[in-house]
Amino acid sequence: MSTDTTEKRFQNDIINHLESTGYVRRNSIRNYNKVMCLDPELTLQFVMDTQPKKWNKFKRVYGEKAEEKFFYRLINEIDNKGTIHVLRNGFRDAGAYFDLFYPQPNNNRNPDLFEKFSSNIFSVIDELEYQDRETGNRIDLVIFINGLPILTIELKDSFSQGVENAMKQYQNDRDPREKLFQHCLVHFAMSDQKIYMATKLKGPQTRFLPFNKGLENPEVRNDYKTCYLYNDILQVNKLSNLLSNFIYIEKDEKTKKETPIFPRYHQLDCVNLLLGDCSPGKNYLIEHSAGSGKSKTIAWLAHGLIKKFDPCDERVYDMVIVVSDRKVIDKQLQEQVKAIEKRKGTVEVIDKDSKQLGEALQTGSNIVVTTLHKFPFILEEVRDMELRNYAVIIDEAHSSQTGTLSRKMKQVLTTNSLEEAELLDDVDDEVEEELLREVESFRNLQNISFFAFTATPKGKTLEMFGTMNDLGEFWPFHRYTMKQAIKEGFILDVLQHYLTYGTYFNLVKTIEDDPEFEERKAKRVLRKFVEEHPHAIRLKTEIMVDHFMNSTRNKIKGQARAMLVTRSRLHAVLYKKAFDKYIKANGYLIKTLVAFTGEVKHDEKGYTENSMNNLPQNKSIENAFVEDPYRVLIVANKYQTGFDQPLLHTMYVDKSLNGVAAVQTLSRVNRIANHKSDTLILDFANETETILKSFEPYYQATYLEEGTDPHKLYELQDKLLDYQIFDMDEVDEFVNAYKKGSKQPELHYILDQVKNEFIKLEKEGQVGFKKALRRYQNIYSFLSQLMPFSDVYLEKLFIFNKYLIKKLPTIDNPLPFSVREDVDMDSYKVVDKGEISIELSGGEGLKPPSAGDTGFREEEKAKLSQIIHDLNDAFGTDFTDDDRVFLERVKDNLLGNDELVKKMEHNSPENVRAVFDKYFNQEMTGLLKSNMDFYKRVADNEKLRDKLKIALFDLLYEDFKKNQEI
């Protein structure tokens, strides 16, 4: 007999399994009431069996009409408040309060609750006719709880049809106005290969989300790939948990529309795995890409952690602290936790001051939402509080969680252990005792669990919070990768359309002398000089504005925005001025915004983002950016992380990016929006190979190849002592004085002796010592939280170094800015190198930090002419007359000559040309001082001189006319 490959066989396999695990199979014709949209027999059975006293009271009021009145009231409640509200809260009528569902208890304190939970009736109807007519449409499977429908399933077998057909059936053949679809909480389109879900049907506009274990569901021997839906998700315990702790209604503040929220598979899987595994003292790293719905996952986890009980029926965690690494707490995160938890007072948002946070910790609030920056201010205040178990959820865990601030945070929340007491017995000195207690408080975290969420974990983050496997590699506990988010359509691939521009320039020496400068530093200064040059700014501005007006402006149905990432605050100011000038000159109906911190001084004038944006006092940059005419946001180290604006389509990059900073910055444009089908990066500053290398580790799964070796600290300690400018006796003396509160002069005296010895070193020794010192501080700050042992001498050296480094004089010669006075830019050109698609595959793991090279490298010196020659070799190309910046400068000088401009205003071009020689010769004489070679070439060649004069006059008049039109 051949295999039955029909959809019916698939359907029956699901029903048979559900029946074997506690479900009741019901019949569409006999049991389902189309008008009520209920299985009324099961609803009444549940109420009468579990609440007989309430039913009798209700019946005494309504008599024979009790059933009719009961269903009238129930249907009214569902229609007005929704199924999830009725299941969680029941309803009241005629003095009787009816429960429609009993949740699964999370502790054993009340055994009666388990009996009530077991009385819930889970049922399934196949081929359910839901339309109120003779022969209406049918749905393949509907799941009920106590007679109330909660979810629907459309099935397709992949031998004849795929899951896409199930989705199309919902979109095209299922009327969203039908009661069944309005009352149910989720609708699954399911094949034997994949599953998709929608919480609200909207006809052809219905959006289905993947509900799969990955991009492909894994093979399952002797079962379907999608068997996890009926083997796991629909099981009585799991489905009850979903109803009690996950499903909720999200309200849009602006439109007031309500949408049922059902977790995606990775969110549900992540939360359940964490809740099943966690206990105080264990840490977890969750690598979830942008587009994963991280705020919702964090909210579900926080709610689950506070309701988790141990076998002794005590809370596992006394308090859950949700920490955001951003200065402004994500509002969505706060509201999310409140929406899931039904009781008031469960969540306390710390949005005022550190005192508010201190009070929350003292009183034992259930869930506290705060920022990391508030924590250090309350350290002393909470040291004496009653010790509890804490779950700390970190939103976007980065380096701030692996350094000194994290040490302080852990110290406040940590319990002193018996192990620590034993160690303290071995230490005689009271200062060493205090230090050892501090070291142990960082390391011994038996009362705290950290749950660190990030899309881009660094090596330190992996080692701090990750899970180590048998090979010594550190992996995230749970992953939802960038690749999956892109393939599933939750974010866009920012590397698909990557447009690069090469910049080429030529520098000339303006003095006859040929002084020597340190080559590497001189090149840095000269490159900075080039990129701040008005011509470079103007040329790139024209490219970007023209691109925006011709391309980006038309994207997302005319709503697209762009961001320009600049290399400094001064660049942001210069670009803002250049953009505004060019936009005005061309009559474009758009405006720009600029974002940078503090004040920038330029040309004896001060600039702030407020003064340049000139926005109303109550309007933020974020709010203004979504309103016309603001279309371009120019930033300098702001809005490059955590900025979520779906209308942002194009990013212009004029800043070197690498590693995690490149991923975070470019990912600002990856958010999805209606009518947004692509993104564009236009990059002036980076090679595509660098960007590819930056993205590779984060595309599939990020892991650390091995942990940091704590013994590197001893190597660095030996290196420091080998310079013989201090010894451990001086370290002891300083730390003892510091811990006992000695006067400042005593501390200065100890360090000054070391400083004097440092000054006696050769420059090579000074550089090497400072490198080793900084390396020690960086590694110890991180490793002290991970080491399986405590060494008080390492901690003492850390404290000593912290103050010593502030006393040591600067070694490096200042950047040779004087070199800028001896050169000028002869030409600058920007060349379109073409658009490419950068394809990712998922690369190698991250490397751990090393002791590093602390040796000294002598700065190579080179003559100025050679430095310029090298730069021209690196960036030069064939130039036309239009590319010559000197002509631009001469032309600008002429336009600034009031006498010449007046003649141009009141005379014809022919008359002005007759006297132009005078002004031209003045400018050429000026070049004698600034560019001797250029002057000689022009002066010695009469034909070249005449040609140059004609070209310059035409350029001059062209710009003069433009200025007259503005």
Side-chain angles (χ1 to χ4, degrees):
M1 184 177 169
S2 59
T3 302
D4 184 354
T5 61
T6 64
E7 181 185 307
K8 192 67 181 175
R9 176 72 266 168
F10 183 33
Q11 184 183 49
N12 284 332
D13 286 342
I14 295 172
I15 294 170
N16 291 338
H17 182 81
L18 291 176
E19 279 191 284
S20 71
T21 57
Y23 275 76
V24 178
R25 184 173 189 175
R26 304 284 285 174
N27 183 273
S28 175
I29 297 171
R30 292 194 301 271
N31 304 124
Y32 181 70
N33 187 302
K34 298 177 184 178
V35 177
M36 291 184 179
C37 190
L38 293 169
D39 183 341
E41 183 184 344
L42 287 188
T43 305
L44 273 181
Q45 180 183 327
F46 170 75
V47 170
M48 291 178 181
D49 287 350
T50 60
Q51 303 154 80
K53 290 181 180 178
K54 295 177 184 178
W55 179 254
N56 289 333
K57 182 180 179 181
F58 187 79
K59 199 170 182 181
R60 282 196 296 271
V61 175
Y62 290 113
E64 293 180 358
K65 291 190 175 182
E67 289 188 15
E68 179 187 335
K69 293 291 185 182
F70 174 84
F71 284 114
Y72 175 80
R73 186 83 174 91
L74 172 59
I75 293 164
N76 239 9
E77 286 288 295
I78 295 174
D79 287 343
N80 294 328
K81 297 179 181 178
T83 300
I84 193 66
H85 182 275
V86 172
L87 287 172
R88 282 181 178 162
N89 302 289
F91 70 91
R92 188 181 299 277
D93 191 15
Y97 173 78
F98 291 106
D99 288 302
L100 273 301
F101 168 71
Y102 288 120
Q104 184 178 17
N106 57 354
N107 61 70
N108 299 301
R109 291 176 178 176
N110 189 345
D112 291 344
L113 295 179
F114 285 94
E115 187 178 340
K116 287 185 173 181
F117 171 68
S118 65
S119 64
N120 289 316
I121 305 169
F122 292 77
S123 60
V124 57
I125 296 180
D126 59 304
E127 303 300 332
L128 182 137
E129 290 188 17
Y130 58 86
Q131 289 180 307
D132 187 18
R133 61 189 191 199
E134 182 101 15
T135 53
N137 284 343
R138 295 179 298 177
I139 198 92
D140 289 332
L141 292 174
V142 180
I143 302 296
F144 293 76
I145 290 184
N146 301 323
L148 280 67
I150 58 167
L151 65 89
T152 69
I153 305 174
E154 280 287 0
L155 297 172
K156 298 295 173 202
D157 71 277
S158 56
F159 285 117
S160 56
Q161 301 182 79
V163 70
E164 293 78 13
N165 284 306
M167 289 189 276
K168 286 178 183 175
Q169 204 164 2
Y170 272 121
Q171 291 169 330
N172 302 324
D173 302 335
R174 304 291 178 240
D175 188 343
R177 295 169 297 182
E178 289 285 348
K179 266 193 175 185
L180 176 69
F181 301 124
Q182 292 184 351
H183 288 186
C184 283
L185 304 169
V186 65
H187 311 281
F188 288 108
M190 178 183 183
S191 75
D192 52 283
Q193 300 291 312
K194 289 191 173 183
I195 302 174
Y196 288 82
M197 68 169 187
T199 57
K200 202 166 190 178
L201 298 188
K202 301 177 182 177
Q205 281 73 48
T206 302
R207 187 188 177 203
F208 279 90
L209 306 181
F211 194 78
N212 301 301
K213 287 190 169 187
L215 287 174
E216 297 292 334
N217 285 312
E219 300 284 347
V220 182
R221 189 161 183 80
N222 298 323
D223 213 333
Y224 302 103
K225 283 186 175 183
T226 52
C227 64
Y228 57 89
L229 185 66
Y230 51 86
N231 283 339
D232 183 29
I233 307 300
L234 298 184
Q235 288 302 292
V236 169
N237 290 351
K238 290 288 184 71
L239 190 53
S240 298
N241 183 38
L242 276 163
L243 292 170
S244 301
N245 302 312
F246 284 88
I247 301 170
Y248 70 99
I249 304 299
E250 188 173 66
K251 295 181 181 179
D252 189 304
E253 289 184 5
K254 292 181 180 178
T255 63
K256 305 301 180 185
K257 287 184 179 179
E258 296 185 347
T259 306
I261 299 298
F262 192 95
R264 287 150 62 187
Y265 184 84
H266 73 272
Q267 294 173 317
L268 185 61
D269 185 56
C270 175
V271 173
N272 285 338
L273 286 174
L274 287 169
L275 292 177
D277 189 79
C278 66
S279 60
K282 294 182 74 173
N283 296 334
Y284 301 89
L285 177 65
I286 301 94
E287 183 186 358
H288 280 194
S289 165
S292 68
K294 190 168 44 179
S295 294
K296 289 182 171 61
T297 307
I298 289 174
W300 280 315
L301 177 62
H303 181 234
L305 289 169
I306 207 65
K307 296 181 72 175
K308 181 178 170 69
F309 284 77
D310 63 19
C312 298
D313 293 327
E314 297 295 332
R315 268 189 178 180
V316 173
Y317 298 102
D318 301 291
M319 183 184 296
V320 176
I321 304 171
V322 181
V323 181
S324 171
D325 205 26
R326 289 164 280 187
K327 290 182 181 178
V328 180
I329 295 175
D330 189 342
K331 188 179 179 183
Q332 181 188 1
L333 185 69
Q334 301 170 19
E335 294 176 349
Q336 187 76 34
V337 179
K338 291 178 181 178
I340 295 169
E341 180 51 57
K342 298 164 284 296
R343 290 174 299 168
K344 288 185 178 179
T346 300
V347 180
E348 181 159 0
V349 178
I350 307 301
D351 52 8
K352 294 177 183 175
D353 51 32
S354 56
K355 184 180 178 184
Q356 185 192 13
L357 178 54
E359 289 172 354
L361 291 166
Q362 291 283 358
T363 56
S365 297
N366 290 325
I367 300 173
V368 170
V369 186
T370 187
T371 64
L372 182 66
H373 302 283
K374 286 191 172 67
F375 225 96
F377 300 110
I378 59 158
L379 295 180
E380 298 303 323
E381 193 174 333
V382 298
R383 275 187 185 275
D384 300 327
M385 68 185 177
E386 180 188 353
L387 292 168
R388 307 182 183 93
N389 288 334
Y390 298 90
V392 181
I393 302 175
I394 303 164
D395 175 22
E396 282 302 330
H398 292 302
S399 55
S400 60
Q401 293 297 333
T402 52
T404 305
L405 198 54
S406 177
R407 282 161 50 103
K408 291 182 179 179
M409 182 172 180
K410 292 176 180 178
Q411 190 175 11
V412 175
L413 302 176
T414 300
T415 302
N416 292 339
S417 66
L418 291 172
E419 179 189 350
E420 180 187 336
E422 291 172 9
L423 284 168
L424 291 175
D425 289 340
D426 296 331
V427 184
D428 296 326
D429 187 280
E430 62 181 26
V431 173
E432 291 193 7
E433 185 173 316
E434 182 185 344
L435 284 173
L436 190 51
R437 185 177 291 110
E438 290 183 7
V439 174
E440 285 302 297
S441 72
F442 304 145
R443 183 173 67 83
N444 185 25
L445 305 176
Q446 294 180 5
N447 67 321
I448 308 175
S449 290
F450 283 90
F451 303 83
F453 284 78
T454 180
T456 49
K458 297 179 182 177
K460 284 185 177 182
T461 311
L462 280 159
E463 191 167 356
M464 178 69 71
F465 303 114
T467 303
M468 187 171 72
N469 64 15
D470 294 338
L471 300 175
E473 300 167 341
F474 289 84
W475 287 80
F477 179 81
H478 197 272
R479 298 186 298 276
Y480 179 79
T481 64
M482 181 191 299
K483 179 180 181 180
Q484 187 172 350
I486 291 170
K487 298 292 186 186
E488 291 183 343
F490 289 103
I491 58 173
L492 295 166
D493 186 350
V494 300
L495 303 185
Q496 278 300 300
H497 303 282
Y498 207 98
L499 185 61
T500 56
Y501 275 76
T503 55
Y504 305 91
F505 58 83
N506 205 60
L507 298 176
V508 293
K509 185 162 65 75
T510 60
I511 56 172
E512 292 196 22
D513 291 340
D514 209 357
E516 289 190 344
F517 295 97
E518 289 185 358
E519 185 173 7
R520 181 174 57 85
K521 292 177 182 175
K523 286 182 177 179
R524 268 176 58 196
V525 170
L526 291 174
R527 179 75 198 194
K528 185 171 183 288
F529 161 71
V530 166
E531 297 302 342
E532 289 177 2
H533 196 285
H535 182 69
I537 297 288
R538 183 182 64 78
L539 200 56
K540 285 188 274 193
T541 294
E542 290 177 6
I543 290 170
M544 288 184 277
V545 175
D546 288 346
H547 174 270
F548 182 88
M549 297 306 296
N550 293 326
S551 178
T552 301
R553 183 173 62 112
N554 303 314
K555 298 286 186 176
I556 319 180
K557 286 209 165 180
Q559 291 298 308
R561 265 67 181 164
M563 176 186 285
L564 164 58
V565 178
T566 67
R567 61 191 71 208
S568 73
R569 296 186 306 147
L570 176 57
H571 279 87
V573 170
L574 296 175
Y575 270 121
K576 166 71 172 165
K577 295 172 72 175
F579 264 66
D580 290 352
K581 182 179 179 181
Y582 189 70
I583 288 168
K584 183 178 179 182
N586 287 277
Y588 295 143
L589 301 177
I590 64 168
K591 286 187 177 182
T592 67
L593 294 162
V594 68
F596 58 88
T597 56
E599 184 181 38
V600 175
K601 298 282 188 181
H602 180 61
D603 289 344
E604 300 181 357
K605 203 174 171 187
Y607 297 91
T608 66
E609 62 179 27
N610 288 338
S611 66
M612 298 194 82
N613 290 329
N614 196 28
L615 292 173
Q617 192 171 0
N618 61 346
K619 177 150 290 187
S620 66
I621 291 174
E622 298 98 307
N623 291 336
F625 192 42
V626 297
E627 299 175 0
D628 285 334
Y630 300 105
R631 289 301 193 90
V632 180
L633 176 59
I634 302 166
V635 302
N637 292 323
K638 286 187 78 172
Y639 297 108
Q640 287 175 233
T641 61
F643 181 54
D644 189 356
Q645 176 45 255
L647 294 180
L648 189 58
H649 174 278
T650 299
M651 180 172 286
Y652 304 115
V653 181
D654 195 24
K655 175 183 181 177
S656 294
L657 297 171
N658 199 358
V660 69
V663 179
Q664 291 174 335
T665 299
L666 300 182
S667 293
R668 293 312 97 211
V669 301
N670 70 8
R671 297 325 194 247
I672 59 173
N674 289 333
H675 312 295
K676 182 179 178 182
S677 58
D678 60 11
T679 66
L680 179 76
I681 309 293
L682 196 157
D683 195 336
F684 295 100
N686 300 284
E687 296 294 331
T688 53
E689 291 81 5
T690 303
I691 300 301
L692 174 63
K693 190 175 179 182
S694 299
F695 270 78
E696 280 284 12
Y698 303 104
Y699 186 57
Q700 295 201 62
T702 314
Y703 68 97
L704 182 66
E705 290 184 348
E706 60 178 309
T708 307
D709 183 2
H711 295 93
K712 289 185 173 72
L713 287 169
Y714 292 111
E715 294 175 19
L716 288 166
Q717 181 187 30
D718 290 341
K719 279 185 181 180
L720 290 171
L721 293 174
D722 285 345
Y723 285 96
Q724 297 184 353
I725 67 172
F726 69 84
D727 56 31
M728 288 307 294
D729 289 340
E730 287 167 296
V731 173
D732 285 340
E733 183 184 3
F734 176 85
V735 175
N736 277 314
Y738 171 72
K739 285 293 180 182
K740 289 178 179 177
S742 299
K743 293 182 178 179
Q744 279 194 32
E746 185 177 340
L747 301 182
H748 283 298
Y749 176 78
I750 298 168
L751 294 178
D752 283 340
Q753 307 308 306
V754 181
K755 175 184 172 183
N756 292 336
E757 293 298 318
F758 173 82
I759 292 171
K760 294 176 185 177
L761 294 174
E762 297 290 331
K763 182 177 179 182
E764 178 179 348
Q766 292 180 356
V767 171
F769 177 81
K770 290 191 83 172
K771 279 186 177 180
L773 189 150
R774 288 195 186 96
R775 193 71 182 154
Y776 180 92
Q777 295 301 91
N778 288 337
I779 292 181
Y780 184 78
S781 175
F782 167 59
L783 270 184
S784 61
Q785 304 166 63
L786 299 173
M787 290 190 297
F789 57 86
S790 299
D791 189 329
V792 73
Y793 292 102
L794 294 177
E795 176 74 11
K796 283 185 174 183
L797 185 56
F798 177 76
I799 295 171
F800 178 78
N801 288 346
K802 179 181 175 182
Y803 290 93
L804 174 62
I805 200 166
K806 297 172 184 176
K807 297 282 287 185
L808 298 180
T810 302
I811 306 163
D812 293 340
N813 296 329
L815 289 171
F817 285 107
S818 60
V819 73
R820 297 177 61 157
E821 299 169 7
D822 302 337
V823 301
D824 209 336
M825 188 161 71
D826 178 41
S827 52
Y828 186 95
K829 191 168 187 173
V830 181
V831 177
D832 181 354
K833 295 168 74 174
E835 181 184 316
I836 66 166
S837 172
I838 302 177
E839 300 296 336
L840 296 169
S841 59
E844 298 177 353
L846 301 175
K847 306 291 183 185
S850 65
D853 173 23
T854 59
F856 171 78
R857 285 193 292 272
E858 181 68 49
E859 286 280 5
E860 292 184 21
K861 291 197 173 183
K863 291 186 179 294
L864 177 58
S865 57
Q866 183 60 41
I867 292 171
I868 293 173
H869 176 73
D870 290 347
L871 285 170
N872 288 338
D873 279 350
F875 297 100
T877 188
D878 295 329
F879 293 100
T880 65
D881 289 340
D882 290 338
D883 296 313
R884 299 294 169 182
V885 177
F886 269 117
L887 283 182
E888 289 282 348
R889 200 180 68 181
V890 170
K891 180 199 69 179
D892 290 341
N893 289 344
L894 289 167
L895 274 175
N897 188 316
D898 291 340
E899 183 179 319
L900 175 60
V901 170
K902 283 183 181 177
K903 285 182 167 53
M904 295 171 75
E905 287 173 346
H906 300 105
N907 292 277
S908 66
E910 290 74 18
N911 290 338
V912 176
R913 193 187 294 273
V915 296
F916 183 61
D917 267 1
K918 168 188 169 184
Y919 303 99
F920 177 76
N921 291 336
Q922 287 175 357
E923 284 303 315
M924 292 307 299
T925 304
L927 282 179
L928 187 59
K929 295 179 182 178
S930 62
N931 194 340
M932 197 178 304
D933 291 341
F934 189 90
Y935 176 80
K936 283 182 178 178
R937 272 189 348 215
V938 174
D940 294 343
N941 189 328
E942 190 173 338
K943 288 184 179 178
L944 175 63
R945 180 186 174 90
D946 289 342
K947 186 176 180 181
L948 178 62
K949 184 168 60 175
I950 293 168
L952 192 58
F953 184 84
D954 291 340
L955 278 172
L956 183 70
Y957 247 96
E958 185 179 331
D959 273 19
F960 172 75
K961 288 177 181 176
K962 283 183 181 178
N963 291 341
Q964 292 292 304
E965 292 169 2
I966 295 175

